[in-house]
Amino acid sequence: MQANESATQKLPLQGALGRLLGNLKGDRWIWLIVILLSVLSLLAVYSSTGTLAYKQGKANESYLVKHMAMILGGIALMYISHKLDYRYYAGISKILMVVTIPLLLYTLIFGNHVNDASRWIAIPGTGLTFQTSDLAKLALITYLARTLSRKQENIKDVKQSFIPIMGSVCVVFILIALANLSTALMLFGVSILLLIIGRISIKQIAVVCAAGMILLSGVIFLGPRRKTYVSRIHTFMHPELANKDKSFQSDHSKIAIATGGVFGKGPGNSTERNYLPHPYSDFIYATIIEEYGLVGGFALVGVYLFLLYRCIKIVTKAPKAFGALLAAGLSFSLTIQAFANMAVAVGLGPVTGVPLPLVSMGGTSILFTSVAFGIILSVSRDIDEPRKVVVGEIRTVSQ
C-alpha cells in the first residue's frame, strides 16, 4: 500500500515536469548548454564575490540571491522570446533601431560615468543600471538580418541596399566605441560576417572596413578615452615596460591560472579573487581556472564551441534567409564575446570590460544574452516543428 501511495504521489510531479519539458521547444542541446552555464555561473559568482561583500559590509549570500534572480529572470525572458515566431523580430528590429540610437546618444551625454566611461543609464526608483550597448547589439544584428534578407534581389544596389546598411553599422559603431571600444569592435566584426553571408560584394565590404578603420582611428587618438585605449594597448604590447599598476589585473589573472594547475584548487578555494578587481565579471574565467583547473577551463571552451556548432547547424537548416542570418549573427556575437573574455583572462588580448556570456555577474548583460538565446531557439523551433497547412486560409508572414 505504501509503495502504491508513493507512486501515486510521484505521478503529478512527473506529469508537471513532463508538461514543462514539453513546452521547451527548439534545440534541446542549447537548453542544456544554458543550464550548464547558469549552474557554473552561480558557483563562480558565489565564490568570487566574498571580497566585494566584505568591502561593502554585506552578506555574501545577498549577491548570490541577486544573481540567481537575474538568471531566473533571464531564463523567463528566454522562454518568452523562444515561444514567439522569429519572423516577428523583423518588425521589432525597426522599433529597436529607432529606440537604440537616441538611447546611445543619451548615455554618452547623461549616463553614469565610471572609469571615464559613460556606458550605463540609471533606471529611476530601482537602483539598477541599464547598459545600452547590450540593447544596441541585439538591435543592430536583428536589423541587419532583416535588411539583408529583404534586399537580396537588389543587394548590389548602392543607394537602396548598401548605404542604409553601411550607415546603420557605422552609426552604431561610433556611438558605442566612444565609451566601449571592445564591444564596438566585436559588434563591427559580427556585422562584417553578416555582410559576407548576406552576399554583399567584396568591394562594398572593403568600403565598410575602410570606414570602420577611419572611425576607429578617430576614437583611439581623438576620442574622450584615448589615453585609456593607448595605455592598454601599450601595456599589452610591452608588459615589461608597463607600470605595475597598469598590468595589475592581467598579472593576477595569470597567477590565478598558473596556480590552478590541471585540476584546480577546488570550488571556493581561489585566492586571487581577493586581488583581482573584477573576479566575478571581467576575470571570472581566471577564477574558474584557479578553482577547477585546466580541465574546467578547457571544458568551458568546449561548451562554447559546441554552442557554436549547434547554432551553425541551425543556420544551415533554416528555411528562410532572415532566420539563418538572425541565428548566425546572434551566435557569432555570443561566441566571439565569450572567446574575447577568455583571451583577456589568459593574456592573449588587452584588458577590456567584456563579460563572459551567461557566466559573469551582471544585470542587462544576462537578460539580453538570454533574449539572444531565446531568438536562436525560436529559429530552431521553426526547423523542428512541421508547418500546419490550414485549408482555405492563406497566411502571409513577413520574411
Side-chain angles (χ1 to χ4, degrees):
M1 287 292 294
Q2 292 180 352
N4 291 333
E5 290 177 359
S6 62
T8 304
Q9 292 173 354
K10 289 180 180 179
L11 287 176
L13 294 175
Q14 293 174 351
L17 181 61
R19 288 192 297 273
L20 177 62
L21 294 177
N23 286 326
L24 300 180
K25 305 298 182 180
D27 193 301
R28 296 299 175 90
W29 285 106
I30 293 182
W31 280 110
L32 180 60
I33 289 170
V34 169
I35 294 171
L36 287 174
L37 293 178
S38 299
V39 171
L40 177 62
S41 177
L42 290 172
L43 293 173
V45 167
Y46 182 61
S47 173
S48 57
T49 51
T51 303
L52 178 64
Y54 175 77
K55 290 179 179 179
Q56 297 189 357
K58 297 180 180 180
N60 197 13
E61 287 75 15
S62 63
Y63 290 99
L64 177 63
V65 171
K66 182 179 178 180
H67 185 60
M68 185 181 296
M70 295 304 300
I71 287 180
L72 292 176
I75 292 175
L77 286 175
M78 191 187 313
Y79 177 81
I80 294 170
S81 55
H82 106 288
K83 295 292 285 184
L84 182 64
D85 192 310
Y86 75 89
R87 289 170 292 180
Y88 288 106
Y89 290 106
I92 295 173
S93 68
K94 295 185 292 183
I95 301 173
L96 289 178
M97 284 298 291
V98 170
V99 172
T100 293
I101 293 176
L103 272 178
L104 289 172
L105 283 170
Y106 180 86
T107 305
L108 287 173
I109 300 171
F110 302 106
N112 293 350
H113 288 265
V114 179
N115 296 330
D116 298 325
S118 181
R119 304 177 184 176
W120 296 269
I121 296 176
I123 302 175
T126 63
L128 302 175
T129 56
F130 169 67
Q131 190 164 347
T132 50
S133 61
D134 291 325
L135 175 63
K137 287 189 291 185
L138 189 62
L140 182 61
I141 290 171
T142 53
Y143 178 77
L144 283 179
R146 172 187 179 274
T147 306
L148 288 169
S149 62
R150 289 195 166 213
K151 296 184 180 296
Q152 282 298 302
E153 293 183 0
N154 55 353
I155 197 67
K156 307 296 183 181
D157 190 287
V158 174
K159 185 177 180 180
Q160 294 187 16
S161 301
F162 178 66
I163 292 179
I165 291 171
M166 179 179 174
S168 61
V169 172
C170 291
V171 168
V172 174
F173 172 76
I174 191 65
L175 290 176
I176 297 177
L178 290 171
N180 192 346
L181 183 59
S182 54
T183 298
L185 285 173
M186 285 186 292
L187 185 56
F188 188 81
V190 171
S191 300
I192 295 299
L193 289 174
L194 279 179
L195 296 185
I196 295 172
I197 297 173
R199 299 193 306 115
I200 295 291
S201 69
I202 298 299
K203 184 184 296 185
Q204 292 176 340
I205 291 175
V207 172
V208 177
C209 291
M213 290 298 296
I214 294 171
L215 293 175
L216 175 63
S217 301
V219 169
I220 292 177
F221 297 108
L222 301 175
R225 302 194 69 204
R226 56 187 179 276
K227 292 182 180 179
T228 301
Y229 295 147
V230 172
S231 174
R232 287 181 176 180
I233 294 172
H234 181 268
T235 300
F236 174 70
M237 297 297 294
H238 305 284
E240 70 283 355
L241 303 176
N243 190 310
K244 290 300 178 183
D245 293 337
K246 301 291 185 181
S247 61
F248 182 84
Q249 297 180 83
S250 57
D251 288 344
H252 281 280
S253 177
K254 293 172 184 176
I255 292 171
I257 293 170
T259 56
V262 178
F263 299 104
K265 299 177 180 178
N269 293 324
S270 169
T271 55
E272 292 304 312
R273 63 186 177 185
N274 300 319
Y275 302 98
L276 282 168
H278 301 285
Y280 44 81
S281 57
D282 299 352
F283 287 92
I284 197 168
Y285 186 63
T287 305
I288 290 172
I289 294 180
E290 185 180 7
E291 295 187 348
Y292 300 94
L294 291 176
V295 173
F298 281 120
L300 186 56
V301 171
V303 169
Y304 282 110
L305 286 174
F306 185 64
L307 169 65
L308 181 61
Y309 166 73
R310 297 304 304 178
C311 290
I312 290 175
K313 289 197 69 174
I314 294 171
V315 172
T316 57
K317 293 181 179 180
K320 299 290 185 180
F322 175 65
L325 290 167
L326 191 60
L330 293 174
S331 60
F332 286 146
S333 175
L334 291 171
T335 51
I336 289 174
Q337 179 178 329
F339 288 114
N341 175 279
M342 292 186 284
V344 170
V346 299
L348 294 178
V351 174
T352 64
V354 177
L356 192 58
L358 221 60
V359 176
S360 294
M361 186 175 75
T364 53
S365 174
I366 291 177
L367 297 180
F368 281 106
T369 297
S370 300
V371 171
F373 271 111
I375 296 174
I376 294 171
L377 287 167
S378 178
V379 178
S380 70
R381 182 169 66 91
D382 186 66
I383 298 170
D384 295 339
E385 294 180 354
R387 296 192 177 278
K388 296 180 180 179
V389 180
V390 181
V391 179
E393 182 179 0
I394 300 176
R395 296 181 180 179
T396 59
V397 182
S398 60
Q399 186 177 13

